[in-house]
Amino acid sequence: MKDSKFLTIDEALKKGGNVSLRGWVYRERKSNKFVFIVLRDESNIIQCVISKEKNPEFFEDAEKLTIESSIKISGTVRKDERAPTGYEVSPVSDLEIVQIAEPFPITAEQSRELLYDNRHLWLRSRKLNAVLKVRHTVVGAIHEFFRSRGYYEFDAPLFQPSMSEGGSTLFEVKYFDNDKVYLSQSWQLYAEAGIFSLGRIYNMGPTFRAEKSKSSRHLAEFWMAEMEAAWMQLDEVTEVAKDEIRFIIKQVLKNNRKELEFLERDISLLELYEKAEYPTIKYAEALEILNTKYNMDVRWGKDLRTQEEAKIADHFKVPVVVTHYPVEIMGFYKPPALPDNPEEALCFDMLAPEGGLEIIGGSERSLLVDDMIQRLEADGEDPLQYDWYFDLRRYGSVPHSGYGLGVERVIQWICGLENIKDAIPFPRTMTRKKP
Ligand code: 4AD
Ligand code: MG
């Protein structure tokens, strides 16, 4: 098989006829006369039939094959209704065993935790293979979305001297001998410096939050895709966010139908989200809907809880942008809606339907140095740490806005995953840091 040109299984299905494949044993079944191998590679699976009568030279070797053994195999692709994907390689003309795998630790009935312990092996599962292909599309779509609209990619440090999203979720890192820094909670504060040079910028990078929660929607290390734009205000930035989500869904529908079908995702819903207009409502209107339509009792001044976000999202059945949350529960940089509604912040979240996941958070940025100093002090922060940030308000200040999109949240929603841990190759949470 030395000189063979190897095809992926998908390429072989397209071409038909005689093919050479290489991959791993996904399943195997033996009878007296046959060894049935389901071969797996990055593209698909296909059954290969090795026959005692026709393949005497390697039939005995084939009998030794175990799950995840690596092999090269040649033969003829044929339609066969009984095979798992409707096609099989039969007859097989050649088999080369690359390695006989040791007994694979993952079998059909596995606890979730064992799957996470064996994440390095579980990545081979068809489920994660499908999710990772969707992830590839989502990440590519985000770059394409911003680059095609004239945004520059701009990088910020991951070691940062202070918080941006609240001190309670900071990861502290020893910095040389006697100093400390924090892992980035957001690219934003540095992006606010970048826009004075580049105008409109974006980034996608690792983000760290010491979330002391075991929820199915929080990671300690996740990827955030953020944008920041000079001169942009709340009404405009929320429309950019809606366009970005529609574009991501469009690209996933274009490239990943097979994966979505494998994941049993309701594709008609994604087709709806690709085309739909997404409503924008104020926090106050969200409360009214919750309290009048759903008999809940949510008071002004509280952040929306998961179940409340879920109700709002289900109410609209498409992604919904909620703006003007109470200033008192918002980050120091989210400005009050002056002059008429100082208790409301010029900020927004986007909630995804089918569960109410917060997939995006953003805002206009405060230009009021004194107000920010007060709010930082109220949170126990040292405003001196932010003096460079306040410079951005001292030297040619302009209105500006931005937002951050949780990449794994978007993947979780698009793929219909129960847990966000399956949206990233190696999840990190309060209780999981290995492998
Ligand atoms: O709403 P957040 O905290 O906003 C910011 O960090 C802003 N500085 C972003 C900006 O304006 N540039 O986070 C943004 C998004 C959330 O809406 C959520 O989708 C995701 O990041 N996110 C998380 N995803 C997974 N695990 C976590 N622990 C997350 N925390 C936030
Ligand atoms: Mg948020």
Side-chain angles (χ1 to χ4, degrees), residues 311-363:
K311 277 274 184 299
I312 292 295
D314 287 346
H315 180 79
F316 288 100
K317 302 199 162 46
V318 294
V320 51
V321 166
V322 181
T323 63
H324 295 84
Y325 285 77
V327 165
E328 60 195 90
I329 53 167
M330 289 290 116
F332 72 96
Y333 58 77
K334 296 184 182 174
L338 296 179
D340 296 334
N341 300 97
E343 71 289 353
E344 294 179 345
L346 298 173
C347 68
F348 76 102
D349 278 356
M350 190 189 291
L351 309 178
E354 304 172 83
L357 260 189
E358 178 201 322
I359 50 175
I360 291 181
S363 73

Side-chain angles (χ1 to χ4, degrees), residues 60-337:
E60 267 180 37
D61 285 342
E63 284 183 311
K64 295 182 196 135
L65 286 171
T66 53
I67 299 289
E68 287 303 310
S69 292
S70 38
I71 59 172
K72 301 176 183 175
I73 197 162
S74 300
T76 311
V77 176
R78 271 195 320 114
K79 217 180 166 76
D80 187 311
E81 302 298 332
R82 293 162 304 172
T85 49
Y87 286 86
E88 60 181 24
V89 178
S90 176
V92 166
S93 56
D94 202 359
L95 171 73
E96 182 186 326
I97 296 176
V98 179
Q99 195 239 350
I100 300 274
E102 295 177 25
F104 201 56
I106 300 173
T107 54
E109 306 288 318
Q110 292 295 344
S111 78
R112 238 171 240 238
E113 284 314 302
L114 194 128
L115 292 180
Y116 288 120
D117 288 341
N118 285 294
R119 187 65 162 203
H120 53 299
L121 302 175
W122 184 236
L123 287 181
R124 307 171 184 201
S125 67
R126 298 197 75 210
K127 175 178 173 181
L128 284 184
N129 173 280
V131 173
L132 292 175
K133 286 174 179 169
V134 172
R135 183 180 172 103
H136 169 80
T137 301
V138 169
V139 167
I142 290 169
H143 282 291
E144 189 180 338
F145 177 82
F146 286 114
R147 284 171 173 253
S148 68
R149 282 163 181 74
Y151 288 69
Y152 293 101
E153 190 166 353
F154 175 84
D155 297 316
L158 296 184
F159 283 160
Q160 298 183 3
S162 49
M163 68 92 197
S164 58
E165 302 301 322
S168 65
T169 61
L170 280 175
F171 277 109
E172 194 177 305
V173 178
K174 184 172 179 292
Y175 199 62
F176 299 101
D177 289 341
N178 305 313
D179 209 352
K180 63 180 183 189
V181 288
Y182 305 104
L183 295 181
S184 172
Q185 292 176 310
S186 172
W187 159 93
Q188 177 195 323
L189 302 193
Y190 293 90
E192 288 185 62
I195 54 161
F196 289 86
S197 173
L198 296 170
R200 296 184 173 201
I201 57 181
Y202 83 99
N203 183 271
M204 185 161 16
T207 306
F208 305 89
R209 305 246 175 122
E211 305 275 5
K212 291 174 193 78
S213 105
K214 289 183 191 156
S215 91
S216 59
R217 37 182 77 184
H218 288 92
L219 292 165
E221 176 182 325
F222 63 99
W223 286 65
M224 202 187 327
E226 302 182 81
M227 62 73 73
E228 193 73 27
W231 310 107
M232 203 179 270
Q233 290 178 292
L234 187 64
D235 52 347
E236 194 182 348
V237 81
T238 53
E239 294 306 313
V240 177
K242 294 174 188 179
D243 286 342
E244 182 183 1
I245 293 296
R246 281 187 289 250
F247 183 73
I248 291 170
I249 291 175
K250 178 176 160 198
Q251 295 303 91
V252 171
L253 284 170
K254 193 166 114 193
N255 295 299
N256 299 106
R257 287 200 175 250
K258 201 171 100 183
E259 287 73 33
L260 294 171
E261 276 163 21
F262 179 80
L263 294 166
E264 297 179 359
R265 182 63 166 108
D266 185 340
I267 293 178
S268 68
L269 287 177
L270 294 177
E271 286 168 342
L272 167 71
Y273 308 149
E274 180 200 346
K275 298 277 191 306
E277 287 298 324
Y278 304 167
T280 298
I281 61 167
K282 285 186 158 193
Y283 166 88
E285 294 170 70
L287 294 197
E288 187 156 322
I289 292 170
L290 293 171
N291 294 340
T292 59
K293 293 236 157 70
Y294 297 96
N295 287 321
M296 298 174 98
D297 182 21
V298 192
R299 303 283 165 80
W300 211 94
K302 287 238 160 83
D303 208 353
L304 297 181
R305 291 174 301 171
T306 305
Q307 52 181 1
E308 291 148 6
E309 291 176 329
K311 277 274 184 299
I312 292 295
D314 287 346
H315 180 79
F316 288 100
K317 302 199 162 46
V318 294
V320 51
V321 166
V322 181
T323 63
H324 295 84
Y325 285 77
V327 165
E328 60 195 90
I329 53 167
M330 289 290 116
F332 72 96
Y333 58 77
K334 296 184 182 174

Side-chain angles (χ1 to χ4, degrees), residues 375-422:
R375 289 162 73 180
L376 283 166
E377 280 173 344
D379 285 344
E381 299 295 326
D382 175 8
L384 279 181
Q385 287 285 345
Y386 298 81
D387 207 47
W388 68 271
Y389 182 71
F390 300 144
D391 271 354
L392 308 172
R393 277 73 180 162
R394 296 180 181 124
Y395 303 107
S397 181
V398 294
H400 60 286
S401 301
Y403 62 81
L405 170 156
V407 173
E408 288 76 18
R409 293 260 179 104
V410 166
I411 294 165
Q412 181 182 9
W413 167 54
I414 288 180
C415 291
L417 304 175
E418 225 172 89
N419 198 302
I420 195 169
K421 285 195 280 191
D422 286 334

